[in-house]
Amino acid sequence: MAQKNKRRVVRYDRIIAVAVIFIILIVLLVSCISSCGEGGSSDGSSSGTDNSSASTDSGGSAPEGTDNSGTDSSAPADPAGYTSVSMNADAVYTGDLIVVNKDYAYHFPDNEDNLVSIYLNKLSTYQAKDWDTMLDKDILTQFNALMDGYYKSTHNVDIMVISGYRSKATQESMHTSKTSEVAAGYTEYHTGMNFDLGIFPKGKNSYYYKAEGDYKWISDNMPSYGFILRYPEDKETLTGVKGKSYKFRYVGVPHAAYITENSLCLEEYLEALKSYNPEKPLNVEAGGKSYRIYYVAASKSGSTDVSVPTDKPYTISGNNMDGFIVTVEMN
């Protein structure tokens, strides 16, 4: 008996079911990949992952508001056209603008090679007490210029330098013998920038310098050469010294001009300068030139960064107290 062939029946419902399952698997796979990618760029808050090093990694970006330049971002920036120079702590005690008085002692340097005999280096238009009367050689150069101008104007040769630099030993001896009330270390004679003048007219009695007659030319013109009267008559409470018409001090042209014009003593001037800084300097006109002058407080420990111009000549002087005076020549 012959067999009957069985017909294979295609089950489309099963094919459709498999296709749907396959599509669902693809969707789930894509969703998983996307989710994992987002997790990789997260802020590290997911458990099991320590991303704390990201905030200290030097290769990472700095948090907003921090400064990676190597300087303290809280420090004021130098004004445009300025840079900083480092001044060591001892520099506070040196310079043309140091003050020495009963409150601030002189800091003696290791050597004093800049001192010279006035007698051996003076002009023939004035006199010096003896060979041992000395000044700082740079100050003597300015004094020679002052006395040259004086002679050309008056043809007078009566002026004598009767006192200049004093060593510590000399001042100690004078204090012990009561020829000076000032203890060693507390007089500006140690600086080599301080001196006394006398008048020695030929055939007449000598006397301390007074700003009268021909001699007044010196007082009227000395600021143009950088000199001031060190102890004005009405400043005793500030200087600690009674007014002396014959004691002079070198401070530099712009400072001498401002001090004299405003009837100040050195102590007053240095205190007033503390209100000026690189952003708000004191502007002074003197000798046909313009100057900017300002104060920078010294660091209480170590060196001090002092703002100075990058394209103009300047000088820096300590004040022998607590800071530095910068003098910029503008033209």
Side-chain angles (χ1 to χ4, degrees):
M1 186 174 173
Q3 293 182 345
K4 294 182 179 180
N5 292 329
K6 294 182 179 181
R7 296 184 61 187
R8 299 183 64 182
V9 178
V10 178
R11 299 290 303 270
Y12 290 103
D13 56 335
R14 292 182 179 178
I15 293 174
I16 293 172
V18 170
V20 169
I21 292 172
F22 183 72
I23 291 172
I24 291 173
L25 289 174
I26 291 175
V27 170
L28 290 174
L29 180 62
V30 171
S31 176
C32 180
I33 292 173
S34 176
S35 175
C36 291
E38 290 175 359
S41 61
S42 68
D43 61 4
S45 60
S46 58
S47 61
T49 304
D50 183 7
N51 286 335
S52 60
S53 62
S55 63
T56 58
D57 185 356
S58 62
S61 59
E64 184 179 355
T66 61
D67 181 6
N68 280 339
S69 64
T71 61
D72 183 357
S73 61
S74 65
D78 288 326
Y82 281 65
T83 187
S84 293
V85 296
S86 181
M87 302 296 290
N88 63 46
D90 289 343
V92 169
Y93 310 121
T94 64
D96 293 341
L97 290 168
I98 60 171
V99 63
V100 180
N101 55 29
K102 60 184 176 61
D103 298 316
Y104 297 99
Y106 181 63
H107 291 248
F108 292 89
D110 293 335
N111 60 68
E112 295 172 311
D113 296 339
N114 218 39
L115 294 169
V116 295
S117 166
I118 299 173
Y119 189 90
L120 296 176
N121 295 276
K122 73 178 186 66
L123 304 179
S124 61
T125 55
Y126 69 94
Q127 307 165 58
K129 180 182 177 181
D130 53 39
W131 286 31
D132 296 328
T133 306
M134 296 188 291
L135 282 178
D136 180 286
K137 67 179 180 181
D138 297 324
I139 278 66
L140 182 56
T141 297
Q142 289 299 101
F143 183 70
N144 280 340
L146 170 65
M147 296 310 296
D148 183 52
Y150 170 69
Y151 178 76
K152 288 177 179 178
S153 178
T154 65
H155 299 285
N156 187 295
V157 294
D158 296 345
I159 298 295
M160 178 185 288
V161 181
I162 58 176
S163 186
Y165 166 79
R166 292 179 193 168
S167 67
K168 186 175 183 179
T170 296
Q171 189 64 31
E172 283 178 346
S173 177
M174 294 178 68
H175 185 58
T176 300
S177 64
K178 301 189 183 302
T179 55
S180 174
E181 297 178 353
V182 183
Y186 292 88
T187 174
E188 286 196 343
Y189 290 111
H190 294 319
T191 69
M193 297 186 285
N194 217 54
F195 57 90
D196 298 351
L197 295 183
I199 297 175
F200 287 73
K202 189 174 182 179
K204 298 181 182 179
N205 292 332
S206 62
Y207 54 97
Y208 287 120
Y209 172 88
K210 293 180 181 180
E212 56 187 19
D214 286 348
Y215 312 123
K216 189 174 184 294
W217 189 97
I218 295 175
S219 296
D220 290 343
N221 292 274
M222 64 181 181
S224 298
Y225 298 85
F227 296 98
I228 61 170
L229 181 64
R230 181 62 182 93
Y231 304 110
E233 290 289 342
D234 58 345
K235 305 294 183 179
E236 181 179 348
T237 57
L238 296 169
T239 65
V241 178
K242 291 182 179 180
K244 307 288 185 181
S245 64
Y246 55 91
K247 293 182 179 289
F248 301 92
R249 162 69 191 270
Y250 181 82
V251 293
V253 172
H255 310 288
Y258 190 86
I259 288 171
T260 303
E261 182 179 347
N262 292 276
S263 301
L264 304 175
C265 65
L266 182 57
E267 283 82 356
E268 279 182 300
Y269 178 62
L270 294 177
E271 190 62 31
L273 285 182
K274 293 180 182 180
S275 63
Y276 296 96
N277 55 52
E279 291 80 13
K280 190 192 72 171
L282 173 65
N283 296 303
V284 174
E285 299 287 332
K289 295 182 178 180
S290 298
Y291 299 88
R292 287 182 180 173
I293 304 167
Y294 54 89
Y295 167 83
V296 177
S299 173
K300 293 183 178 179
S301 63
S303 61
T304 301
D305 290 333
V306 176
S307 293
V308 295
T310 57
D311 59 349
K312 297 186 184 302
Y314 64 87
T315 59
I316 302 175
S317 173
N319 63 8
N320 201 40
M321 296 183 290
D322 53 16
F324 299 95
I325 311 300
V326 181
T327 305
V328 181
E329 188 176 321
M330 301 303 295
N331 57 1

